């Protein structure tokens, strides 16, 4: 059974009827640009073939019911009950199971957006059945895929008429305030605006977005899921964001986007060591994104390997968000001939990526698997991905 069929079957089991439609949105891999999004910086993600599907149908009693293939019981509330569930105070446990906070948070955020604009719409109750093949906790943004599929469905069914960047902002608000994860907007924008065969060069301050062809002929991007789950709502992510805000305040700028590599010597004089290293990662990572886009356009994907490696070193040493499993994945891939490799996603677990020649995928995979075994780690999950289309209606 396909993931789309699974969502449809769950909807029928839940309601006894056929959904009004099925919508989907993809996970994403971030090629480069980590933790720069909430610093108003630059990122270069792309959507992946793995998707979350939402089978959705209108109901006339004003209630919202969500169910998923990865949870035992559905969760149901009246629409007017949602404001008491959200926003989630920092550090609080969600008032609903975390998986349900994502789609319910989108419902809540979309209602608020509609109320603020006073535009005509048809806000009614819905049943939502979710199925996904995006690995959870792997740093591939399974959360943004849920948000994108849900927001796309409600935008169509409720006739809210929002464009894709606006729906991405709805998803981000759900994640920040309903779930309590202080993320930027990269994941939602990648999931909504992804294109086949291209990465998305995104300015997270202006939300200007441009497709950048990757030129992957003869190359593969190998994802190495360490199977060490991470969660953006936990303390490590929040602490990194606080350090960035502290660094920006010390430098007297709105965000670290406004600090250049040339400003780093001054920053070193003004900051404690930890804050400086956090700032240095963001500043140099922003520059690496710009350099990667330029290199892709001039020389193609084979020339970006050193930038990927430098990005991982910065995340490991300055931002301190890598873990031994991720370092092992990157090191083993490079030793086996990968052109470049880095951890991807928020860190503290999740996945690494390796850029490899098509003919070397098996050798690199075998080398990584062997390195994990030698280190006593659980076997990783390895698979290749290609840039894919963003959110859409499927049925």
């Amino acid at each position: 059974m396909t993931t789309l069929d699974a969502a449809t079957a769950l909807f029928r089991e839940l309601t006894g009827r056929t959904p009004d439609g099925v919508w989907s949105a993809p996970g994403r891999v971030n090629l480069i640009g980590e933790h720069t999004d909430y610093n108003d910086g630059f990122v270069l993600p792309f959507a992946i073939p793995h998707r979350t599907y939402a089978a959705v149908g209108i109901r006339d009693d004003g209630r919202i019911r969500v169910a998923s293939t990865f949870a035992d019981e559905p969760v149901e509330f009246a629409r007017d009950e949602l404001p008491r569930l959200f926003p989630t105070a920092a550090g609080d446990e969600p008032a609903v199971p975390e998986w349900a906070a994502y789609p319910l948070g989108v419902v809540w955020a979309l209602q608020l957006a509609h109320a603020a604009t006073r535009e005509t719409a048809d806000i009614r109750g819905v049943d939502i059945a979710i199925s996904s093949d995006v690995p959870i906790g792997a740093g591939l943004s399974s959360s943004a895929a849920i948000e994108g599929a849900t927001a796309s469905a409600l935008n169509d069914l409720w006739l809210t008429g929002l464009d894709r960047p606006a729906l991405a902002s709805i998803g981000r608000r759900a994640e920040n305030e309903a779930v309590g994860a202080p993320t930027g907007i990269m994941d939602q924008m990648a999931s909504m605006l992804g294109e086949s065969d291209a990465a998305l060069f995104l300015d997270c301050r202006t939300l200007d977005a441009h497709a950048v062809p990757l030129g992957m002929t003869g190359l593969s991007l190998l994802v190495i899921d360490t199977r060490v789950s991470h969660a953006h709502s936990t303390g490590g992510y929040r602490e990194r964001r606080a350090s960035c805000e502290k660094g920006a305040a010390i430098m007297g700028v709105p965000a670290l986007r406004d600090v250049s590599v040339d400003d780093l010597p001054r920053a070193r004089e003004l900051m404690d060591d930890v804050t400086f290293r956090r700032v240095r990662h963001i500043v140099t990572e922003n520059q690496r994104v710009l350099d990667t886009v330029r290199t892709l356009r001039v020389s193609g994907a084979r020339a970006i390997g050193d930038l990927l490696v430098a990005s991982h070193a910065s995340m490991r040493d300055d931002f301190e968000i890598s873990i031994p499993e991720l370092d092992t994945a990157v090191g083993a891939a490079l030793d086996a001939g990968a052109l470049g490799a880095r951890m991807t996603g928020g860190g503290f677990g999740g996945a690494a990526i390796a850029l490899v020649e098509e003919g070397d995928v098996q050798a690199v995979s075998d080398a990584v698997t062997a390195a994990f075994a030698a280190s006593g780690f659980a076997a990783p999950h390895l698979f290749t991905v290609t840039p894919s289309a963003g959110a859409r209606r499927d049925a």
Side-chain angles (χ1 to χ4, degrees), residues 369-381:
T369 301
F372 270 55
S375 299
F377 302 145
H381 178 212

Side-chain angles (χ1 to χ4, degrees), residues 16 45 80 86 214 282 307 354:
D80 57 10
F86 310 126
L214 288 181
I282 299 301
L307 290 162

Side-chain angles (χ1 to χ4, degrees), residues 30-67:
N30 191 20
L31 190 61
I32 198 165
E34 224 63 77
H35 288 259
T36 49
D37 57 348
Y38 58 77
N39 288 286
D40 283 359
F42 304 103
V43 292
L44 192 66
F46 63 83
I48 61 176
H50 301 69
R51 305 182 74 85
T52 293
Y53 292 83
V56 185
I58 292 288
R59 51 190 291 172
D60 294 324
D61 59 0
R63 296 187 69 80
I64 309 295
R65 180 167 51 173
V66 295

Side-chain angles (χ1 to χ4, degrees), residues 66-132:
V66 295
S68 81
T69 56
F70 43 84
D72 293 332
E73 299 292 336
V75 175
E76 182 174 345
F77 290 94
R79 280 198 304 108
D80 57 10
E81 289 183 290
L82 295 183
R84 74 173 175 82
L85 304 179
F86 310 126
T88 299
D92 283 357
E93 289 294 323
V96 297
E98 185 167 317
W99 72 266
Y102 295 103
L104 290 174
V106 168
V107 174
W108 167 77
L110 194 52
Q111 288 182 151
L112 288 180
H114 169 255
T117 61
R118 301 181 183 276
E119 295 290 337
T120 300
D122 185 19
I123 308 294
R124 290 193 282 168
V126 288
D127 286 307
I128 304 171
I130 294 169
S131 183
S132 181

Side-chain angles (χ1 to χ4, degrees), residues 2 232 258 268 270 347 387:
T2 68
H232 282 168
D258 303 298
R268 185 189 289 273
L270 296 174

Side-chain angles (χ1 to χ4, degrees), residues 34-35 38 136-139 182-183 225-243 278 281 312 315-316 318-327 343-352:
E34 224 63 77
H35 288 259
Y38 58 77
I136 296 173
T183 59
D225 178 3
T226 66
R227 300 184 187 270
V228 179
S229 183
H230 75 160
H232 282 168
S233 55
T234 54
Y237 194 103
R238 196 179 303 277
E239 289 168 4
R240 298 309 184 276
R241 182 160 187 163
S243 290
R278 305 297 189 249
H281 166 70
H312 183 77
M315 290 185 286
R316 181 192 63 214
D318 278 351
F319 223 58
E320 296 183 289
I321 56 174
S322 189
I323 60 172
E325 288 88 343
L326 288 167
D327 295 337
M343 59 153 283
T344 188
F348 310 105

